[in-house]
Amino acid sequence: LVAIEPDVYLDRGAVRFRVSEAYAQRIAAAGGEPLILAPGATDIARLTSMVHAFVFTGGDDPRTEPFGEPTDPRVTPIHTLRQQFAVGALEHLRDHAPSTPVLGVCLGMQLMALVAGGTIAQHMPESHPDTHANHWDHDHEIVPEPGVDLASGISHSRHRQCITDPGTLRVLARAPDGVIEAIDDPTRPHYVGVQWHPERSDHPALGQTLFDRLVQAARDQMRRSSESCTPSVR
């Protein structure tokens, strides 16, 4: 059972949720059962005891005041309900369920870094004046760091912000201009964030494979939990 965190937005004064069907399709193709969450109406502690993995999806820009920096007035901030829920879930998983597999996509990856004590560049035309256009509706190469288990390939980027410091997390890959493209926590069984959108990637290793690994990690964790609960026979 893989929980999907949806976007939250206002439509004529009403709060609504939305998520791309592609996330559910990728999870199902990996053998998982997708479950779309309801931010604000979901008890995080109870939820983490019920589901086996999480996907934190893409979206607009985080508000950075909770992380010690003023929000740049040029950003498009996400709904406060979404940020409260996502950050609360990430913090709860870190503190109480670190073995639960997590995949963060684009905004999801950036929130993972912020929760880990990292920082982001809020306006890439300013922080990366020569190459920011390569990351907005353009293809570019993903270059894995030496020794990590991640394939190289071409991804399609569409982001206005980027991680400048992953905090306690590890950098897995970068773009040719040095922008961080993937992160993880090597102390946890499966805690991975990517800047591109694997749910709509045609590159198998940078797309479906990431969901396959998430669901497999959930299966492995379920098996370990089952074995630890089985009394030994003497």
Side-chain angles (χ1 to χ4, degrees), residues 8 17 37-44 81-82 84-86:
V8 180
F17 305 146
L37 304 180
T42 301
D43 182 275
I44 294 171
L81 178 62
R82 178 177 187 185
Q84 290 168 359
F85 179 82

Side-chain angles (χ1 to χ4, degrees), residues 5-225:
E5 174 239 4
D7 194 13
V8 180
Y9 69 105
L10 279 176
D11 178 23
R12 293 170 288 185
V15 176
R16 301 185 185 277
F17 305 146
R18 63 184 170 195
V19 66
S20 169
E21 183 189 16
Y23 288 104
Q25 290 176 335
R26 296 285 190 164
I27 290 167
E33 185 69 33
L35 173 69
I36 300 172
L37 304 180
T42 301
D43 182 275
I44 294 171
R46 183 165 174 264
L47 176 68
T48 53
S49 70
M50 297 167 57
V51 303
H52 306 109
F54 279 80
V55 174
F56 292 89
T57 63
D60 287 320
D61 308 316
R63 302 170 191 270
T64 52
E65 280 82 5
F67 306 101
E69 294 287 342
T71 301
D72 191 301
R74 293 167 292 189
V75 308
T76 303
I78 58 176
H79 196 284
T80 54
L81 178 62
R82 178 177 187 185
Q83 178 151 333
Q84 290 168 359
F85 179 82
V87 170
L90 288 167
E91 290 176 340
H92 183 85
L93 289 165
R94 176 195 64 199
D95 298 336
H96 302 288
S99 61
T100 302
V102 171
L103 174 63
V105 174
C106 200
L107 166 67
M109 169 180 133
Q110 293 167 5
L111 289 173
M112 290 166 69
L114 289 171
V115 167
T119 57
I120 62 173
Q122 297 188 57
H123 189 61
M124 288 184 68
E126 183 174 85
S127 62
H128 296 75
D130 297 329
T131 61
H132 70 91
N134 297 338
H135 297 271
W136 184 254
D137 243 356
H138 279 273
D139 294 342
H140 66 72
E141 188 179 5
I142 301 299
V143 184
E145 295 287 278
V148 305
D149 184 19
L150 184 70
S152 61
I154 302 299
S155 76
H156 188 79
S157 281
R158 187 182 170 87
H159 58 100
R160 296 175 288 251
Q161 300 187 333
C162 64
I163 295 171
T164 51
D165 178 358
T168 59
L169 305 181
R170 174 178 66 165
V171 176
L172 292 179
R174 298 179 184 271
D177 62 355
V179 167
I180 296 172
E181 291 285 332
I183 57 176
D184 80 338
D185 184 343
T187 70
R188 294 165 69 168
H190 189 89
Y191 193 77
V192 177
V194 296
Q195 185 62 72
W196 66 92
H197 279 263
E199 80 281 5
R200 56 181 190 240
S201 174
D202 294 329
H203 190 297
L206 300 179
Q208 183 62 46
T209 295
L210 295 177
F211 292 92
D212 294 343
R213 289 183 174 185
L214 178 75
V215 171
Q216 185 59 53
R219 288 197 189 99
D220 293 343
Q221 181 57 32
M222 290 171 65
R223 185 182 66 253
R224 286 191 291 267
S225 297

